[in-house]
Amino acid sequence: MRTASGWFKTEREGERLRVIAGGSWETGALAELDGGLRRLAGEPVRIAAIDLSAVDSMDTAGAWVLYRTRRDLRARGVAAEFEGVDRSFADLLARVEEGDVEQTLVRDRLHPVIALIAHIGEVSLAAFHECASLLSFLGVTVITLGRSIVRPRRIRFTSLVSHIEQVGLTAIPIVGLLSFLIGVVIAYQGAEQLRQFGAQVFTVNLLGNSMLREMAILMTAIVVAGRSGSAFTAQIGTMQVNEEVDAMRTMGLDPIEVLVLPRVLALVIALPLLTVLADLTGLAGGALATVLVVDISLAQFMERLNNAVPLAAFWVGIVKAPVFGFLIAMVGCREGLMVVGSAESVGRHTTKSVVLSIFLVIVADALFSIFFLYIGV
Amino acid sequence: MAEPPVIRVQGLSTKFGSQVIHHGLDLEVRRGEIFCVVGGAGSGKSVLMRTIIGLIRPAAGKVEIFGEDRAGNDDSGRQRLEMRWGVLFQDGALFSSLTVAENVQVPLKEHTDLAPELIQEIVSLKIAMVGLPPDACTKYPSELSGGMRKRAGLARALALDPEILFLDEPTAGLDPIGAAGFDSLIMSLRQTLGLTVFMVTHDLDSLHAISDRIAVLVDKAVVIGTIDTLSRESHAWIHDYFHGPRARAAAPR
């Protein structure tokens, strides 16, 4: 079906230009023809005829380059006409002419320096708005939480329990395993360093305090942010794309109450529990490493732990857990509700939710540290 | 001269697991016609289209396009074939991370060695031809309405000037004016570009307005005819389809 590819030749007599085109003027053949035609449009002539009688086939792109040649010639005041146009080609040329409207295909580009400054401005403003909207979401959540506490019947217990299972129970293996390994690493590394001072026995102090105060809760929070915070965003975001959240609103259901609160409460309850688990497995991992590396028995380890680590260290870790859980769940849910339009948006917000919640968890942890230092715990 | 059919489907059977969708289905689409496929929900209209364009492998039977067997083609042959048709999916299936103009550019950049300048011109032309406003070019698919997404999808399907256009429910979800506009757009494209159109539709108005022949999917096979011959068909479903209250409303008086 493909005939010889397109060609054209030109004949010039003084101020008259004659272009004879032939063959197949289809998209695939235009790469070679286009440049020649563009040069042609610049020929210093007054009258031009474009003879199409030898053209076998033409598609829109082919019609376009021919039409454009005539248009550009005319724009320079040349009397340009087509000749020998087949009827079906005439339709196509007319159609192409209709389609010749000014279109902006790329968004306007600014000067790079200005674009950079504008970008910095936009990002700063966005960060500011982000903080503001996070705070307002926090407010709405707390108000709804308060309302639910006053009237506990409004809490969706089925949903709450199911979320506690999803974020708590099913996270037990991964949280337990990871903190066990962290315990092993801290004890082993600590023992190596302390050996140089002949103070290997202080490994237990190091392990107990760092595990209970910081490592267990941070590890748990980060795993849960990656595991459950992202899941919250994806779940609510998908509902947002399906307009389920809008449907909920029209039925008089408050998405904060139905979607956000059970998730927030679930994490506030589950994260401390997971932290206790992480404390235990972390210490177990540490104990294993200590017993193997440092020359003490398990009983000595326990006794030393009991003397060296105050109970406050445990509470310092645990008290942070509900706050972190609240932050993770709130960010996850809010990002989910921010989803607009397409599935792509779900992906973007899920990533953002994980990054933001881990960031907030670590910032909050730093604030807690300063606070505890101040009150001397 | 009897021209060979553009699409020839012979003895086609498709199955999902043990569920048989089509059994021994035959059809031919001639050059330059608008061929519509109708059928009840779940009768396998979209599956038929997806089988013809090769997204689903048939359990048995042969699909020939331009006289070439799809299954027998190697990769380069398949690609050559794919450049000769355009497909419009139900919701446009635009790449969501690209603007409309960039979406239409994709096939041109991928399959031709045209200068960037000419590509821009062609993209702009196609977008104007499908009736999108100029400011739609720089928008992302999520910023467009459903009707505009379909038009943008059509512009992308037309980017390489295909010989066959596959349309999956092009007028579904459009308002009557938009749907009529889409019908007349397809008619005029067929006229000027000499397109062959294979269209899955539910829209009785479209059937009356633009179809040349119709294939009705019933009982895992097809009944093919024009709107007049199908109206006289005695099969219960077909009779109901063409004589139901909506069909009577759509029929031109």
Side-chain angles (χ1 to χ4, degrees), chain A residues 329-371:
Chain A
M330 193 189 72
V331 169
C333 293
R334 190 190 73 115
E335 289 301 325
L337 289 170
M338 301 267 284
V339 165
V340 272
S342 62
E344 192 207 1
S345 172
V346 179
R348 213 174 34 236
H349 281 284
T350 307
T351 313
K352 211 178 130 198
S353 139
V354 175
V355 174
L356 189 61
S357 53
I358 292 178
F359 171 78
L360 285 180
V361 160
I362 291 175
V363 168
D365 190 54
L367 292 178
F368 268 116
S369 287
I370 296 170
F371 174 71

mmCIF file of all heavy atoms in Angstrom, chain A residues 329-371:
data_model
loop_
_atom_site.group_PDB
_atom_site.id
_atom_site.type_symbol
_atom_site.label_atom_id
_atom_site.label_comp_id
_atom_site.label_asym_id
_atom_site.label_seq_id
_atom_site.Cartn_x
_atom_site.Cartn_y
_atom_site.Cartn_z
ATOM 1 N N ALA A 329 -0.163 9.241 62.307
ATOM 2 C CA ALA A 329 -1.513 9.007 61.797
ATOM 3 C C ALA A 329 -2.090 10.292 61.227
ATOM 4 O O ALA A 329 -2.737 10.280 60.171
ATOM 5 C CB ALA A 329 -2.401 8.479 62.915
ATOM 6 N N MET A 330 -1.841 11.405 61.892
ATOM 7 C CA MET A 330 -2.413 12.654 61.424
ATOM 8 C C MET A 330 -1.840 13.030 60.057
ATOM 9 O O MET A 330 -2.569 13.372 59.131
ATOM 10 C CB MET A 330 -2.125 13.762 62.436
ATOM 11 C CG MET A 330 -2.925 14.995 62.195
ATOM 12 S SD MET A 330 -2.369 16.330 63.239
ATOM 13 C CE MET A 330 -0.821 16.738 62.498
ATOM 14 N N VAL A 331 -0.517 12.930 59.923
ATOM 15 C CA VAL A 331 0.094 13.261 58.636
ATOM 16 C C VAL A 331 -0.399 12.304 57.549
ATOM 17 O O VAL A 331 -0.768 12.724 56.452
ATOM 18 C CB VAL A 331 1.636 13.213 58.741
ATOM 19 C CG1 VAL A 331 2.267 13.283 57.365
ATOM 20 C CG2 VAL A 331 2.134 14.344 59.603
ATOM 21 N N GLY A 332 -0.455 11.007 57.869
ATOM 22 C CA GLY A 332 -0.906 10.017 56.880
ATOM 23 C C GLY A 332 -2.312 10.327 56.404
ATOM 24 O O GLY A 332 -2.585 10.328 55.204
ATOM 25 N N CYS A 333 -3.212 10.594 57.333
ATOM 26 C CA CYS A 333 -4.604 10.854 56.964
ATOM 27 C C CYS A 333 -4.726 12.165 56.204
ATOM 28 O O CYS A 333 -5.461 12.261 55.224
ATOM 29 C CB CYS A 333 -5.490 10.909 58.203
ATOM 30 S SG CYS A 333 -5.612 9.330 59.020
ATOM 31 N N ARG A 334 -3.979 13.179 56.668
ATOM 32 C CA ARG A 334 -4.113 14.464 56.005
ATOM 33 C C ARG A 334 -3.621 14.383 54.567
ATOM 34 O O ARG A 334 -4.270 14.883 53.649
ATOM 35 C CB ARG A 334 -3.329 15.549 56.739
ATOM 36 C CG ARG A 334 -3.646 16.938 56.219
ATOM 37 C CD ARG A 334 -2.701 17.951 56.783
ATOM 38 N NE ARG A 334 -1.410 17.795 56.171
ATOM 39 C CZ ARG A 334 -0.836 18.711 55.393
ATOM 40 N NH1 ARG A 334 -1.443 19.831 55.158
ATOM 41 N NH2 ARG A 334 0.343 18.488 54.854
ATOM 42 N N GLU A 335 -2.481 13.716 54.342
ATOM 43 C CA GLU A 335 -1.992 13.586 52.968
ATOM 44 C C GLU A 335 -3.012 12.838 52.110
ATOM 45 O O GLU A 335 -3.202 13.157 50.954
ATOM 46 C CB GLU A 335 -0.639 12.868 52.934
ATOM 47 C CG GLU A 335 0.514 13.685 53.485
ATOM 48 C CD GLU A 335 0.724 14.999 52.749
ATOM 49 O OE1 GLU A 335 0.522 15.043 51.528
ATOM 50 O OE2 GLU A 335 1.083 15.986 53.416
ATOM 51 N N GLY A 336 -3.655 11.825 52.712
ATOM 52 C CA GLY A 336 -4.688 11.098 51.969
ATOM 53 C C GLY A 336 -5.816 12.015 51.548
ATOM 54 O O GLY A 336 -6.278 11.967 50.406
ATOM 55 N N LEU A 337 -6.231 12.880 52.448
ATOM 56 C CA LEU A 337 -7.339 13.782 52.126
ATOM 57 C C LEU A 337 -6.919 14.882 51.155
ATOM 58 O O LEU A 337 -7.765 15.510 50.524
ATOM 59 C CB LEU A 337 -7.898 14.416 53.404
ATOM 60 C CG LEU A 337 -8.679 13.458 54.314
ATOM 61 C CD1 LEU A 337 -8.986 14.110 55.643
ATOM 62 C CD2 LEU A 337 -9.956 13.003 53.636
ATOM 63 N N MET A 338 -5.598 15.107 51.036
ATOM 64 C CA MET A 338 -5.125 16.144 50.113
ATOM 65 C C MET A 338 -5.062 15.644 48.668
ATOM 66 O O MET A 338 -4.809 16.426 47.755
ATOM 67 C CB MET A 338 -3.707 16.594 50.499
ATOM 68 C CG MET A 338 -3.579 17.149 51.883
ATOM 69 S SD MET A 338 -3.756 18.915 51.898
ATOM 70 C CE MET A 338 -2.166 19.375 51.249
ATOM 71 N N VAL A 339 -5.250 14.338 48.470
ATOM 72 C CA VAL A 339 -5.161 13.785 47.117
ATOM 73 C C VAL A 339 -6.232 14.418 46.238
ATOM 74 O O VAL A 339 -7.376 14.562 46.655
ATOM 75 C CB VAL A 339 -5.347 12.250 47.156
ATOM 76 C CG1 VAL A 339 -5.621 11.703 45.777
ATOM 77 C CG2 VAL A 339 -4.119 11.590 47.742
ATOM 78 N N VAL A 340 -5.826 14.848 45.042
ATOM 79 C CA VAL A 340 -6.819 15.336 44.090
ATOM 80 C C VAL A 340 -6.612 14.640 42.755
ATOM 81 O O VAL A 340 -5.486 14.454 42.314
ATOM 82 C CB VAL A 340 -6.716 16.860 43.840
ATOM 83 C CG1 VAL A 340 -7.541 17.631 44.839
ATOM 84 C CG2 VAL A 340 -5.280 17.315 43.842
ATOM 85 N N GLY A 341 -7.694 14.267 42.115
ATOM 86 C CA GLY A 341 -7.634 13.821 40.729
ATOM 87 C C GLY A 341 -7.165 12.398 40.538
ATOM 88 O O GLY A 341 -7.889 11.447 40.769
ATOM 89 N N SER A 342 -5.893 12.254 40.160
ATOM 90 C CA SER A 342 -5.503 10.991 39.552
ATOM 91 C C SER A 342 -4.787 10.057 40.514
ATOM 92 O O SER A 342 -4.452 10.408 41.639
ATOM 93 C CB SER A 342 -4.571 11.284 38.387
ATOM 94 O OG SER A 342 -3.426 11.928 38.882
ATOM 95 N N ALA A 343 -4.539 8.867 40.031
ATOM 96 C CA ALA A 343 -3.797 7.879 40.808
ATOM 97 C C ALA A 343 -2.373 8.346 41.062
ATOM 98 O O ALA A 343 -1.773 8.013 42.073
ATOM 99 C CB ALA A 343 -3.788 6.550 40.069
ATOM 100 N N GLU A 344 -1.847 9.141 40.137
ATOM 101 C CA GLU A 344 -0.482 9.642 40.293
ATOM 102 C C GLU A 344 -0.370 10.454 41.579
ATOM 103 O O GLU A 344 0.623 10.390 42.300
ATOM 104 C CB GLU A 344 -0.129 10.515 39.090
ATOM 105 C CG GLU A 344 1.340 10.839 39.011
ATOM 106 C CD GLU A 344 1.586 12.139 38.299
ATOM 107 O OE1 GLU A 344 0.611 12.790 37.892
ATOM 108 O OE2 GLU A 344 2.746 12.507 38.196
ATOM 109 N N SER A 345 -1.441 11.207 41.866
ATOM 110 C CA SER A 345 -1.465 12.044 43.047
ATOM 111 C C SER A 345 -1.398 11.193 44.317
ATOM 112 O O SER A 345 -0.775 11.583 45.300
ATOM 113 C CB SER A 345 -2.733 12.884 42.992
ATOM 114 O OG SER A 345 -2.937 13.584 44.157
ATOM 115 N N VAL A 346 -2.019 10.016 44.291
ATOM 116 C CA VAL A 346 -1.957 9.113 45.442
ATOM 117 C C VAL A 346 -0.510 8.747 45.733
ATOM 118 O O VAL A 346 -0.043 8.808 46.879
ATOM 119 C CB VAL A 346 -2.784 7.820 45.194
ATOM 120 C CG1 VAL A 346 -2.672 6.893 46.385
ATOM 121 C CG2 VAL A 346 -4.232 8.154 44.917
ATOM 122 N N GLY A 347 0.222 8.405 44.678
ATOM 123 C CA GLY A 347 1.624 8.024 44.847
ATOM 124 C C GLY A 347 2.454 9.154 45.430
ATOM 125 O O GLY A 347 3.244 8.961 46.353
ATOM 126 N N ARG A 348 2.231 10.368 44.882
ATOM 127 C CA ARG A 348 3.008 11.506 45.330
ATOM 128 C C ARG A 348 2.753 11.784 46.808
ATOM 129 O O ARG A 348 3.666 12.012 47.588
ATOM 130 C CB ARG A 348 2.647 12.715 44.479
ATOM 131 C CG ARG A 348 3.809 13.646 44.267
ATOM 132 C CD ARG A 348 3.483 14.772 43.300
ATOM 133 N NE ARG A 348 2.139 15.229 43.352
ATOM 134 C CZ ARG A 348 1.310 15.275 42.306
ATOM 135 N NH1 ARG A 348 1.731 14.875 41.143
ATOM 136 N NH2 ARG A 348 0.093 15.730 42.427
ATOM 137 N N HIS A 349 1.470 11.744 47.185
ATOM 138 C CA HIS A 349 1.139 12.061 48.572
ATOM 139 C C HIS A 349 1.590 10.961 49.537
ATOM 140 O O HIS A 349 1.909 11.249 50.681
ATOM 141 C CB HIS A 349 -0.360 12.326 48.708
ATOM 142 C CG HIS A 349 -0.744 13.699 48.244
ATOM 143 N ND1 HIS A 349 -0.509 14.822 48.989
ATOM 144 C CD2 HIS A 349 -1.294 14.123 47.093
ATOM 145 C CE1 HIS A 349 -0.921 15.883 48.326
ATOM 146 N NE2 HIS A 349 -1.398 15.488 47.163
ATOM 147 N N THR A 350 1.608 9.724 49.065
ATOM 148 C CA THR A 350 2.088 8.649 49.924
ATOM 149 C C THR A 350 3.559 8.852 50.256
ATOM 150 O O THR A 350 3.979 8.743 51.412
ATOM 151 C CB THR A 350 1.877 7.289 49.236
ATOM 152 O OG1 THR A 350 0.517 7.194 48.842
ATOM 153 C CG2 THR A 350 2.204 6.150 50.163
ATOM 154 N N THR A 351 4.342 9.177 49.229
ATOM 155 C CA THR A 351 5.760 9.451 49.465
ATOM 156 C C THR A 351 5.908 10.601 50.457
ATOM 157 O O THR A 351 6.688 10.529 51.409
ATOM 158 C CB THR A 351 6.434 9.865 48.145
ATOM 159 O OG1 THR A 351 6.046 8.952 47.149
ATOM 160 C CG2 THR A 351 7.928 9.881 48.278
ATOM 161 N N LYS A 352 5.138 11.657 50.198
ATOM 162 C CA LYS A 352 5.243 12.840 51.032
ATOM 163 C C LYS A 352 4.859 12.523 52.471
ATOM 164 O O LYS A 352 5.488 13.006 53.418
ATOM 165 C CB LYS A 352 4.320 13.929 50.475
ATOM 166 C CG LYS A 352 4.840 15.315 50.725
ATOM 167 C CD LYS A 352 3.923 16.341 50.117
ATOM 168 C CE LYS A 352 3.604 17.388 51.155
ATOM 169 N NZ LYS A 352 2.413 18.157 50.803
ATOM 170 N N SER A 353 3.842 11.696 52.620
ATOM 171 C CA SER A 353 3.377 11.351 53.962
ATOM 172 C C SER A 353 4.474 10.657 54.760
ATOM 173 O O SER A 353 4.707 10.976 55.929
ATOM 174 C CB SER A 353 2.123 10.474 53.829
ATOM 175 O OG SER A 353 2.125 9.436 54.745
ATOM 176 N N VAL A 354 5.182 9.715 54.124
ATOM 177 C CA VAL A 354 6.239 8.992 54.840
ATOM 178 C C VAL A 354 7.365 9.938 55.219
ATOM 179 O O VAL A 354 7.821 9.974 56.371
ATOM 180 C CB VAL A 354 6.774 7.827 53.989
ATOM 181 C CG1 VAL A 354 7.946 7.171 54.673
ATOM 182 C CG2 VAL A 354 5.684 6.817 53.732
ATOM 183 N N VAL A 355 7.799 10.749 54.246
ATOM 184 C CA VAL A 355 8.914 11.661 54.513
ATOM 185 C C VAL A 355 8.541 12.634 55.622
ATOM 186 O O VAL A 355 9.292 12.832 56.583
ATOM 187 C CB VAL A 355 9.295 12.422 53.225
ATOM 188 C CG1 VAL A 355 10.346 13.474 53.526
ATOM 189 C CG2 VAL A 355 9.792 11.461 52.174
ATOM 190 N N LEU A 356 7.360 13.215 55.492
ATOM 191 C CA LEU A 356 6.952 14.228 56.459
ATOM 192 C C LEU A 356 6.768 13.633 57.852
ATOM 193 O O LEU A 356 7.185 14.230 58.856
ATOM 194 C CB LEU A 356 5.648 14.884 55.980
ATOM 195 C CG LEU A 356 5.193 16.099 56.758
ATOM 196 C CD1 LEU A 356 6.235 17.197 56.665
ATOM 197 C CD2 LEU A 356 3.852 16.600 56.233
ATOM 198 N N SER A 357 6.182 12.428 57.934
ATOM 199 C CA SER A 357 5.934 11.899 59.280
ATOM 200 C C SER A 357 7.245 11.477 59.949
ATOM 201 O O SER A 357 7.427 11.708 61.148
ATOM 202 C CB SER A 357 4.916 10.756 59.255
ATOM 203 O OG SER A 357 5.296 9.779 58.350
ATOM 204 N N ILE A 358 8.193 10.946 59.192
ATOM 205 C CA ILE A 358 9.481 10.602 59.810
ATOM 206 C C ILE A 358 10.198 11.872 60.258
ATOM 207 O O ILE A 358 10.749 11.951 61.357
ATOM 208 C CB ILE A 358 10.351 9.774 58.838
ATOM 209 C CG1 ILE A 358 9.720 8.396 58.635
ATOM 210 C CG2 ILE A 358 11.767 9.616 59.386
ATOM 211 C CD1 ILE A 358 10.447 7.514 57.673
ATOM 212 N N PHE A 359 10.128 12.897 59.414
ATOM 213 C CA PHE A 359 10.725 14.189 59.766
ATOM 214 C C PHE A 359 10.127 14.715 61.068
ATOM 215 O O PHE A 359 10.845 15.081 62.001
ATOM 216 C CB PHE A 359 10.485 15.165 58.611
ATOM 217 C CG PHE A 359 10.859 16.585 58.918
ATOM 218 C CD1 PHE A 359 12.186 16.978 58.895
ATOM 219 C CD2 PHE A 359 9.884 17.526 59.225
ATOM 220 C CE1 PHE A 359 12.527 18.290 59.178
ATOM 221 C CE2 PHE A 359 10.219 18.831 59.500
ATOM 222 C CZ PHE A 359 11.550 19.214 59.477
ATOM 223 N N LEU A 360 8.804 14.720 61.142
ATOM 224 C CA LEU A 360 8.149 15.256 62.336
ATOM 225 C C LEU A 360 8.471 14.430 63.573
ATOM 226 O O LEU A 360 8.651 14.972 64.669
ATOM 227 C CB LEU A 360 6.633 15.316 62.124
ATOM 228 C CG LEU A 360 6.144 16.437 61.209
ATOM 229 C CD1 LEU A 360 4.638 16.402 61.081
ATOM 230 C CD2 LEU A 360 6.602 17.786 61.745
ATOM 231 N N VAL A 361 8.550 13.106 63.395
ATOM 232 C CA VAL A 361 8.862 12.244 64.530
ATOM 233 C C VAL A 361 10.239 12.605 65.093
ATOM 234 O O VAL A 361 10.423 12.732 66.310
ATOM 235 C CB VAL A 361 8.816 10.760 64.101
ATOM 236 C CG1 VAL A 361 9.596 9.889 65.074
ATOM 237 C CG2 VAL A 361 7.379 10.283 64.012
ATOM 238 N N ILE A 362 11.207 12.828 64.192
ATOM 239 C CA ILE A 362 12.564 13.106 64.674
ATOM 240 C C ILE A 362 12.635 14.503 65.291
ATOM 241 O O ILE A 362 13.286 14.705 66.324
ATOM 242 C CB ILE A 362 13.577 12.901 63.531
ATOM 243 C CG1 ILE A 362 13.628 11.400 63.235
ATOM 244 C CG2 ILE A 362 14.957 13.400 63.918
ATOM 245 C CD1 ILE A 362 14.465 11.004 62.078
ATOM 246 N N VAL A 363 11.934 15.472 64.694
ATOM 247 C CA VAL A 363 11.881 16.810 65.292
ATOM 248 C C VAL A 363 11.255 16.724 66.687
ATOM 249 O O VAL A 363 11.790 17.275 67.669
ATOM 250 C CB VAL A 363 11.063 17.765 64.393
ATOM 251 C CG1 VAL A 363 10.761 19.064 65.141
ATOM 252 C CG2 VAL A 363 11.827 18.074 63.118
ATOM 253 N N ALA A 364 10.155 16.008 66.790
ATOM 254 C CA ALA A 364 9.485 15.890 68.091
ATOM 255 C C ALA A 364 10.403 15.205 69.100
ATOM 256 O O ALA A 364 10.451 15.582 70.279
ATOM 257 C CB ALA A 364 8.182 15.112 67.939
ATOM 258 N N ASP A 365 11.162 14.207 68.630
ATOM 259 C CA ASP A 365 12.075 13.504 69.523
ATOM 260 C C ASP A 365 13.134 14.460 70.056
ATOM 261 O O ASP A 365 13.474 14.437 71.247
ATOM 262 C CB ASP A 365 12.728 12.349 68.760
ATOM 263 C CG ASP A 365 13.487 11.433 69.692
ATOM 264 O OD1 ASP A 365 12.868 10.969 70.674
ATOM 265 O OD2 ASP A 365 14.693 11.226 69.461
ATOM 266 N N ALA A 366 13.637 15.333 69.171
ATOM 267 C CA ALA A 366 14.637 16.325 69.607
ATOM 268 C C ALA A 366 14.036 17.252 70.652
ATOM 269 O O ALA A 366 14.666 17.560 71.669
ATOM 270 C CB ALA A 366 15.131 17.115 68.397
ATOM 271 N N LEU A 367 12.800 17.697 70.413
ATOM 272 C CA LEU A 367 12.140 18.573 71.377
ATOM 273 C C LEU A 367 11.974 17.872 72.722
ATOM 274 O O LEU A 367 12.215 18.454 73.783
ATOM 275 C CB LEU A 367 10.783 19.027 70.848
ATOM 276 C CG LEU A 367 10.833 19.961 69.633
ATOM 277 C CD1 LEU A 367 9.435 20.306 69.167
ATOM 278 C CD2 LEU A 367 11.616 21.222 69.980
ATOM 279 N N PHE A 368 11.587 16.594 72.675
ATOM 280 C CA PHE A 368 11.454 15.809 73.912
ATOM 281 C C PHE A 368 12.779 15.753 74.660
ATOM 282 O O PHE A 368 12.827 15.896 75.881
ATOM 283 C CB PHE A 368 10.989 14.383 73.593
ATOM 284 C CG PHE A 368 9.499 14.225 73.622
ATOM 285 C CD1 PHE A 368 8.792 13.901 72.478
ATOM 286 C CD2 PHE A 368 8.800 14.391 74.812
ATOM 287 C CE1 PHE A 368 7.424 13.754 72.515
ATOM 288 C CE2 PHE A 368 7.417 14.244 74.847
ATOM 289 C CZ PHE A 368 6.734 13.931 73.689
ATOM 290 N N SER A 369 13.871 15.543 73.916
ATOM 291 C CA SER A 369 15.194 15.454 74.545
ATOM 292 C C SER A 369 15.501 16.715 75.325
ATOM 293 O O SER A 369 15.936 16.670 76.472
ATOM 294 C CB SER A 369 16.277 15.264 73.480
ATOM 295 O OG SER A 369 16.215 13.980 72.988
ATOM 296 N N ILE A 370 15.259 17.867 74.646
ATOM 297 C CA ILE A 370 15.532 19.142 75.314
ATOM 298 C C ILE A 370 14.668 19.259 76.569
ATOM 299 O O ILE A 370 15.140 19.647 77.639
ATOM 300 C CB ILE A 370 15.245 20.305 74.342
ATOM 301 C CG1 ILE A 370 16.209 20.213 73.157
ATOM 302 C CG2 ILE A 370 15.390 21.646 75.042
ATOM 303 C CD1 ILE A 370 15.875 21.149 72.029
ATOM 304 N N PHE A 371 13.404 18.891 76.416
ATOM 305 C CA PHE A 371 12.472 18.979 77.535
ATOM 306 C C PHE A 371 12.938 18.130 78.714
ATOM 307 O O PHE A 371 12.999 18.593 79.854
ATOM 308 C CB PHE A 371 11.086 18.549 77.046
ATOM 309 C CG PHE A 371 10.060 18.446 78.121
ATOM 310 C CD1 PHE A 371 9.551 19.582 78.752
ATOM 311 C CD2 PHE A 371 9.590 17.202 78.526
ATOM 312 C CE1 PHE A 371 8.594 19.481 79.737
ATOM 313 C CE2 PHE A 371 8.635 17.099 79.522
ATOM 314 C CZ PHE A 371 8.142 18.232 80.126
#
